Amino acid sequence: MYDIAVIGAGPAGASAALFAAKAGKKTLVIDNDQSITKRAWIENHYGVLEITGPDLVETGKKQAAKFGAELVLGKALNVVKLEEGFRIELEGQQFEAQHVILATGVAVDLAEKIGLKTKPATEPRIKTVIDVDANGRTNVDGIWAAGTAAGVSVHTIVTAGDGAKVAINVISELNGERYVDHDVLK
């Protein structure tokens, strides 16, 4: 069983997976390769002069994998609550995780299917988002949401930061104390 399964590997999902894996959590990333970031040209992402959306997405996946996150290409079709944790069902595959982070961008169909509360979005051209608290918790204990799917701005720097924030909150819950990841120069 994975500690954390992240559904979506755009900026929010890859950032969440990076923090989770770097914290030593057994991390799974399920991605359907449909991130809207893959169509973007980005010149407003802090620390990066300019980058294509596809390059940013691939870099995020590589960073998460560097720390041990396992990446699976596929579409999550269902998330089922188990006695302990959740089963994530894909076509022909299934995985179990203690916590799930939905970072599905503009797509909330999976969230609605599994009974998560949604609400009207405030971002232009996005109709519905997952209803979360300030920490990224949904109405189902153990399922979290981050990034655009959770009502955060579509800007990559904002969604990446939100993915990191939600992952830190999940890690903190798993550890039983506030988690901080701060490297120092060697």
Side-chain angles (χ1 to χ4, degrees), residues 118-129:
T118 59
K119 64 183 182 181
T122 57
E123 198 77 0
R125 295 182 302 279
I126 297 174
K127 293 182 170 63
T128 307
V129 294

Side-chain angles (χ1 to χ4, degrees), residues 123-186:
E123 198 77 0
R125 295 182 302 279
I126 297 174
K127 293 182 170 63
T128 307
V129 294
I130 302 165
D131 192 6
V132 298
D133 69 9
N135 294 316
R137 295 180 200 282
T138 71
N139 60 297
V140 176
D141 190 36
I143 300 182
W144 308 67
T148 304
V152 174
S153 171
V154 297
H155 297 92
T156 61
I157 191 69
V158 178
T159 61
D162 193 58
K165 175 195 82 171
V166 172
I168 289 167
N169 292 331
V170 177
I171 296 161
S172 297
E173 185 168 303
L174 286 166
N175 290 352
E177 63 183 12
R178 188 69 182 160
Y179 173 74
V180 176
D181 178 7
H182 186 75
D183 297 323
V184 295
L185 288 173
K186 295 176 180 163

